[in-house]
Amino acid sequence: MRKVLLITLLCSFWGFAQVYQDSTASVNDRVEDLLSRMTLDEKIGQMTQADLSVLGDPSDVASSFIGSVLSGGNSDPEAGNSAENWADAYDALQTQALTTRLGIPIIYGVDAMHGHSNVVGATIFPHNIGLGATRNPELVKEVNRISALEIAATGIDWTFAPCVAVPRNERWGRTYEGFGETPELAAMFGGTAVAGLQGDSLNDPLSVVACAKHYIGDGGTTNGDDQGNTQCTEEELRAIHLPGYLTALENDVKTIMTSYSSWNGEKVHGNHYLITTLLKEELGFEGFVVSDWAAIDQLPGDYASDVKTSINAGLDMIMVPHDFEGFISTLRTLINNGDVPLSRIDDAVRRILRVKFELGLFEHPMTDRSLLPLVGAEEHREVARQAARESVVMLKKNDNVLPLPKTGAKILVAGQHADDIGLQCGGWTIMWQGQAGEITKGTTILEGLQEVAPGNNYVFNKDGVFSDTDADYIIAVVGEHPYAEGDGDKLDLSVDKAHDKMLRKLREYGIPVITVLISGRPMITNATMHNSDVFMAAWLPGTEADGIADLFFGDYLPTGKLPMTWHKSNETIPMNFGDDNYDPLFPYGFGLTSYDNTATGSAPVFQSAMLTQSGNKIEMDFNKSMNNSASTTAQFTVVINGTDSINVTDFSFSTNSENRLVFELGATYSKEDVLTVSYKSGNIVSADGGELTYFYNAPVINYLTIASSFQIVPGKIEAEDYTDMFGVQTESTSDYGGGLNVGYIDDGDWLEYNCDIGVTGTYDARFRIASENGGGVLKFLVDGNEQFTVGIASTGAWQNWKSVGQFAELVKGNSTIRLEAVSGGFNLNWLSFDVFTEVEEIEGEVSEFGLAQNYPNPFNPSTQISYSLLNPGVTSLKVYNMLGEEVSELVNQFQQRGNFTVDFNAENLSSGVYFYVLKSNNQVETKKMMLLK
């Protein structure tokens, strides 16, 4: 059995006089008997879910009759994050619950979203987006069965999974939590995931309670904003966002979590129609509905109103991680005042108790320690390896590259993602936002290569810098850094510039490049693919990346199919399968599944075209060798900026890739130019005799926009876009906009940037820094001449960002700016340069860009909005309603650095929720405000 029976003495004392203690009685009889014995405080306690981190002492569970405890993303046992410590923490809390008058056990919830991912050493599977690519429901069921076993081994009863959201906009930072962009995938996998977690019987010791989330529409918010507003008709809501819940209900899911988001301007947490009328009454859901983390606080009105609205709307258990005592007191008052009927309380408690009885908690409340050795078991990791392997989608394959030989080859392995467990697992892994590094046990891609084909010679460098390039193949692994909700929202989904620069350099070695992308969503990969002979999307594969290595050597072929549309550019997002004018780079469902070389004599397939860094050449890539001396004539037409066109007849074979043709344009173009190319006529044939067919208006990737030789000043320079460096490395940043920062800066380390300085003058040079310790000293040099040094104080944490600055004299033209750590101990996210005109007196210190939270909030009917600008620039401050419609423009002008206050009069607006948005120098800050009249 999973748990140890600790209630023998209680049962002996009562002699099973109480029906609820009789395991042979029906669940309904036991529920009704227990409910009839409960006081109001005991009922309210059952509806209360507190976070482990805020429980002052395990005895709080008993004194407040707490019905449920959770561990949020960063809430681990105080003794340490091992399976044994989780079991100890669980049993300590459960012991307290059993000392109460009625001995009602707690139910404990965790975000075990891709395996028991809070626990060091557990098996961590691919995130749902990767599982969606497998199109293998039975595998997904097995993945969740194993997850349930490892969760149950630590005593925990409940996981907040599966997420059956249908992400319709990749900019949403939770995209990877969904199975894909269609309701088909949510329905295909939502029910099977529930079946895997809950098993054939919830009373099985190896089963846990599942939780379908986030009900409903969280994947459809405008602009992909986390916790935003989903604007659609009810017909669309039911057609797109409901099917995953229907299959979860068919598999008897016991709990459902409501979404932070709104539907047409109304928060789901307070929507009686969606929670009660649709879910409970129409669809017949008999389990209980739980809120998200402190989510009722976002409802309009004061806290009492939040509690009243959410409970009356149909929420049964409230996640109150910060102040469970305040919630209990507030709900008690509302009930006593008649604002929340006792019948609603009894309904909620009845639902919660029913799940606890069905789970067998009253008979087996404690951890079964005999299961602990199964956490991270080898047989579980083999299933995770299979899941990682089947999730990979191959998007590009040139001839004669794969499969790789298993012996005798020298293979260069590049990119930090190739040998980093934290990066390949992504968010919701050990920590809420995830983290780079050796955060848990597992196998990296590099380790997988060494395991699968030990007869090869692998040379690894995380930055792609190799002194000896006499090699047979290159495997480059690039991608996103870990993130979770909120921090993962991102407007620009282009692959990081530093990664594209690395790939460009690697491709110039003339060695076949196999690129693996580690990401939580489709990304903009035009240049990435152009510089790759093979390109695979591996999503976030979890701890067993040897499953990816399996694919390189021919033992297995890729089988994954795109769960989401792959876009040509940021401008086409959002676009989903079935939309009008559907024009993706790769459509939903695409995936190459063969390594077979193209038949001899078949027409070569055009892959991509790129304007080179010189600005006067275009190179075109094909799927097979184009090195054929019989090719002598060609006519290409290049259209520039949609109007001018030129005909080019002179082409050559690339010196570093036989799959590439190069032709000169006769003029030099800039990064602002947009080019397309067509092949009109000629006798170009591939090396094996295949004749090139005509193609028209193929877009030309402008590499200058990715890796220009010079950074433009005045302007902002990302720290990771260095020309050269010594001693540093890049890492994920929590600062505005996500992306990378430069870290691990020690004494003597340096960064260099080639800069195109547009005007001679005095500049305000600012540096975005963070330091947990004593900071350091940064030296600023221009063309080898020191201009100043700036001291860097501790900011309190490695990701707690502040801006510091000095004035610099810069001369128009090309210069090398060097940042040198006289003493290290700080991180750098970006540096910016603004031409200094005149000094203005600024009231108060300006340390942060952004909006102040306006108080009072709610306001009636006017307020003052305060904001701070770190740098001069064109600034706009606008107010929008819940539908995203602009209702007021408060500021639209150039402003100097400083602190500002603007009066906002809302006399003409109705009561409701509004957002004010500040934009300046490519930075954006948004705040919410409530208007009550």
Side-chain angles (χ1 to χ4, degrees):
M1 293 189 304
R2 177 175 60 167
K3 300 185 177 180
V4 179
L5 189 62
L6 283 192
I7 55 176
T8 305
L9 292 177
L10 291 174
C11 294
S12 175
F13 175 76
W14 276 315
F16 284 115
Q18 291 80 6
V19 173
Y20 81 91
Q21 292 287 5
D22 183 357
S23 62
T24 65
S26 70
V27 168
N28 285 340
D29 286 346
R30 298 178 76 182
V31 168
E32 294 304 321
D33 178 65
L34 180 53
L35 188 64
S36 69
R37 302 173 185 275
M38 296 174 68
T39 65
L40 179 59
D41 281 349
E42 288 168 335
K43 292 177 180 179
I44 293 172
Q46 286 302 300
M47 299 173 66
T48 305
Q49 185 178 55
D51 188 75
L52 176 66
S53 64
V54 301
L55 289 172
D57 186 273
S59 63
D60 288 344
V61 169
S63 59
S64 296
F65 306 108
I66 298 292
S68 180
V69 176
L70 85 149
S71 279
N74 293 330
S75 180
D76 303 329
E78 188 174 347
N81 194 356
S82 67
E84 292 80 3
N85 288 334
W86 278 92
D88 292 343
Y90 176 92
D91 284 351
L93 296 171
Q94 195 66 279
T95 299
Q96 289 294 323
L98 298 177
T99 65
T100 57
R101 183 178 70 93
L102 296 172
I104 305 174
I106 59 167
I107 184 171
Y108 200 117
V110 292
D111 286 290
M113 298 163 56
H114 58 140
H116 201 5
S117 54
N118 288 343
V119 180
V120 170
T123 308
I124 298 176
F125 297 94
H127 270 294
N128 280 352
I129 192 171
L131 296 179
T134 70
R135 301 300 202 274
N136 188 341
E138 286 305 310
L139 174 60
V140 172
K141 183 176 180 180
E142 180 67 4
V143 162
N144 282 275
R145 184 197 68 81
I146 292 171
S147 297
L149 192 158
E150 296 198 9
I151 295 165
T154 60
I156 293 170
D157 324 286
W158 182 19
T159 175
F160 305 128
C163 178
V164 293
V166 181
R168 306 287 284 178
N169 189 321
E170 292 85 341
R171 293 188 175 101
W172 186 38
R174 306 190 80 157
T175 292
Y176 61 77
E177 294 184 37
F179 293 106
E181 71 183 34
T182 64
E184 168 198 17
L185 292 183
M188 180 184 296
F189 295 114
T192 56
V194 170
L197 290 167
Q198 295 190 167
D200 296 332
S201 170
L202 199 60
N203 200 17
D204 187 316
L206 305 183
S207 297
V208 297
V209 174
C211 181
K213 67 181 187 182
H214 307 86
Y215 182 81
I216 181 175
D218 53 336
T221 60
T222 302
N223 298 322
D225 291 341
D226 190 50
Q227 305 180 20
N229 183 32
T230 297
Q231 298 169 264
C232 66
T233 65
E234 182 172 347
E235 181 181 17
E236 292 168 326
L237 187 77
R238 287 174 178 256
I240 296 173
H241 299 286
L242 190 59
Y245 294 96
L246 297 181
T247 59
L249 291 169
E250 289 170 2
N251 285 271
D252 199 23
V253 67
K254 296 300 180 183
T255 68
I256 287 177
M257 181 184 290
T258 38
S259 172
Y260 279 112
S261 61
S262 303
W263 178 43
N264 294 332
E266 181 180 353
K267 283 287 185 182
V268 175
H269 272 74
N271 193 312
H272 183 275
Y273 174 75
L274 292 178
I275 299 171
T276 297
T277 305
L278 174 57
L279 179 61
K280 291 183 174 180
E281 295 175 356
E282 179 181 332
L283 299 180
F285 176 58
E286 295 183 346
F288 68 83
V289 181
V290 62
S291 77
D292 209 334
W293 180 278
I296 68 167
D297 297 2
Q298 296 186 10
L299 292 171
D302 60 16
Y303 187 64
S305 172
D306 296 345
V307 175
K308 172 184 173 181
T309 300
S310 60
I311 299 296
N312 286 337
L315 293 189
D316 302 307
M317 182 180 287
I318 308 299
M319 194 182 292
V320 279
H322 305 307
D323 183 14
F324 64 88
E325 292 169 325
F327 167 76
I328 290 170
S329 174
T330 300
L331 182 54
R332 184 191 303 116
T333 300
L334 290 169
I335 297 168
N336 290 334
N337 291 343
D339 293 315
V340 176
L342 189 58
S343 59
R344 174 75 270 273
I345 301 302
D346 285 346
D347 173 60
V349 177
R350 183 177 288 113
R351 290 169 176 270
I352 294 166
L353 294 179
R354 183 184 300 124
V355 172
K356 290 186 176 184
F357 280 118
E358 290 175 340
L359 186 59
L361 272 177
F362 284 80
E363 285 67 54
H364 312 298
M366 310 301 285
T367 304
D368 181 354
R369 304 291 174 127
S370 68
L371 298 178
L372 280 171
L374 295 178
V375 175
E378 194 57 41
E379 58 268 29
H380 297 173
R381 295 184 182 276
E382 280 301 312
V383 175
R385 179 176 183 167
Q386 177 189 352
R389 182 171 62 241
E390 292 191 21
S391 71
V392 173
V393 181
M394 184 165 65
L395 296 176
K396 178 181 179 181
K397 173 192 68 70
N398 286 342
D399 284 3
N400 303 312
V401 178
L402 294 177
L404 304 181
K406 282 193 172 182
T407 60
K410 180 179 179 180
I411 300 176
L412 307 181
V413 183
Q416 184 182 357
H417 288 71
D419 194 33
D420 193 302
I421 285 286
L423 294 183
Q424 71 190 39
C425 288
W428 294 106
T429 308
I430 307 305
M431 300 181 69
W432 171 39
Q433 293 288 329
Q435 188 176 14
E438 195 173 346
I439 59 175
T440 190
K441 300 175 183 178
T443 304
T444 67
I445 294 175
L446 176 62
E447 291 167 341
L449 292 168
Q450 294 164 337
E451 172 196 329
V452 175
N456 289 327
N457 176 24
Y458 302 97
V459 180
F460 171 67
N461 184 277
K462 66 179 180 63
D463 298 312
V465 178
F466 301 97
S467 58
D468 179 7
T469 58
D470 181 18
D472 301 295
Y473 303 95
I474 298 171
I475 295 175
V477 190
V478 300
E480 294 187 291
H481 277 58
Y483 55 83
E485 56 188 306
D487 285 2
D489 287 8
K490 194 175 183 183
L491 293 176
D492 186 352
L493 297 183
S494 303
V495 169
D496 189 271
K497 288 182 180 180
H499 294 170
D500 274 331
K501 290 178 185 178
M502 179 185 74
L503 285 170
R504 180 67 176 179
K505 183 176 180 181
L506 294 173
R507 184 68 184 268
E508 289 175 352
Y509 292 155
I511 306 168
V513 177
I514 300 119
T515 300
V516 178
L517 178 69
I518 303 294
S519 70
R521 50 197 160 192
M523 302 191 73
I524 307 305
T525 55
N526 305 51
T528 316
M529 289 187 179
H530 181 78
N531 289 312
S532 307
D533 292 279
V534 176
F535 182 91
M536 296 179 175
W539 315 108
L540 299 170
T543 51
E544 309 313 308
D546 41 0
I548 298 169
D550 283 335
L551 297 172
F552 295 131
F553 302 99
D555 294 336
Y556 299 89
L557 291 173
T559 57
K561 301 293 184 181
L562 282 181
M564 301 191 73
T565 297
W566 204 278
H567 294 266
K568 293 179 178 178
S569 69
N570 283 297
E571 288 67 35
T572 65
I573 301 172
M575 178 173 61
N576 294 285
F577 181 69
D579 287 355
D580 294 336
N581 302 316
Y582 187 67
D583 185 27
L585 185 63
F586 298 103
Y588 168 85
F590 179 85
L592 300 172
T593 57
S594 172
Y595 292 160
D596 290 343
N597 295 327
T598 306
T600 300
S602 61
V605 176
F606 167 77
Q607 301 273 31
S608 56
M610 176 181 280
L611 180 69
T612 64
Q613 192 162 328
S614 65
N616 62 358
K617 295 180 181 180
I618 288 179
E619 56 189 28
M620 291 191 301
D621 268 25
F622 300 87
N623 68 322
K624 55 177 21 180
S625 172
M626 302 299 290
N627 194 355
N628 190 322
S629 59
S631 300
T632 57
T633 64
Q635 182 177 335
F636 298 99
T637 299
V638 181
V639 177
I640 301 97
N641 299 324
T643 54
D644 300 330
S645 63
I646 58 173
N647 292 324
V648 181
T649 58
D650 184 21
F651 74 94
S652 61
F653 301 112
S654 171
T655 58
N656 57 28
S657 174
E658 290 195 346
N659 292 65
R660 181 168 285 178
L661 295 180
V662 181
F663 56 90
E664 296 195 15
L665 297 173
T668 300
Y669 296 94
S670 73
K671 67 179 183 179
E672 283 76 28
D673 291 313
V674 177
L675 290 77
T676 62
V677 62
S678 304
Y679 173 54
K680 299 191 68 175
S681 64
N683 67 352
I684 297 179
V685 294
S686 64
D688 65 3
E691 183 176 353
L692 178 60
T693 56
Y694 305 148
F695 59 87
Y696 298 94
N697 296 325
V700 177
I701 304 160
N702 193 329
Y703 188 68
L704 296 172
T705 64
I706 298 164
S708 175
S709 299
F710 294 94
Q711 303 290 339
I712 303 303
V713 174
K716 179 180 177 182
I717 301 173
E718 296 294 336
E720 66 271 17
D721 286 347
Y722 47 77
T723 307
D724 201 0
M725 67 86 179
F726 173 77
V728 305
Q729 72 180 51
T730 56
E731 60 185 1
S732 176
T733 181
S734 68
D735 201 8
Y736 170 81
L740 302 178
N741 63 260
V742 171
Y744 297 87
I745 301 174
D746 298 319
D747 298 357
D749 293 347
W750 52 265
L751 300 154
E752 283 189 347
Y753 304 87
N754 289 340
C755 297
D756 181 1
I757 300 169
V759 65
T760 298
T762 302
Y763 286 77
D764 181 11
R766 306 206 63 80
F767 309 93
R768 188 71 166 168
I769 56 91
S771 175
E772 185 172 270
N773 300 322
V777 176
L778 180 65
K779 182 188 295 184
F780 181 86
L781 304 96
V782 180
D783 295 329
N785 300 313
E786 179 182 341
Q787 287 225 4
F788 60 80
T789 59
V790 58
I792 297 172
S794 172
T795 64
W798 289 116
Q799 292 289 315
N800 187 23
W801 294 96
K802 302 290 183 183
S803 296
V804 299
Q806 292 280 357
F807 295 119
E809 300 296 329
L810 303 180
V811 178
K812 180 178 180 179
N814 296 335
S815 292
T816 299
I817 289 177
R818 182 180 177 115
L819 307 180
E820 189 171 305
V822 178
S823 59
F826 57 91
N827 293 340
L828 178 68
N829 193 12
W830 47 255
L831 50 154
S832 68
F833 299 91
D834 289 286
V835 180
F836 179 73
T837 53
E838 59 181 339
V839 178
E840 290 192 357
E841 291 296 324
I842 299 173
E843 182 179 350
E845 180 183 355
V846 182
S847 60
E848 290 287 343
F849 168 85
L851 290 152
Q853 181 68 52
N854 64 307
Y855 290 101
N857 193 0
F859 68 94
N860 182 21
S862 63
T863 188
Q864 287 189 327
I865 301 174
S866 298
Y867 61 96
S868 300
L869 302 179
L870 284 170
N871 300 298
V874 177
T875 303
S876 72
L877 179 62
K878 298 181 180 181
V879 181
Y880 297 84
N881 63 20
M882 286 293 291
L883 297 179
E885 301 165 336
E886 181 183 327
V887 298
S888 181
E889 182 178 76
L890 304 180
V891 177
N892 187 10
Q893 65 186 63
F894 181 88
Q895 292 184 316
Q896 295 289 341
R897 174 175 179 264
N899 299 314
F900 301 88
T901 300
V902 177
D903 292 325
F904 175 47
N905 191 308
E907 290 286 355
N908 297 325
L909 299 180
S910 58
S911 296
V913 176
Y914 294 87
F915 296 89
Y916 49 108
V917 180
L918 174 71
K919 295 183 179 180
S920 185
N921 290 324
N922 296 318
Q923 291 185 295
V924 182
E925 178 80 8
T926 301
K927 294 288 186 183
K928 179 178 71 174
M929 58 185 173
M930 188 76 59
L931 172 61
L932 294 180
K933 290 189 174 181

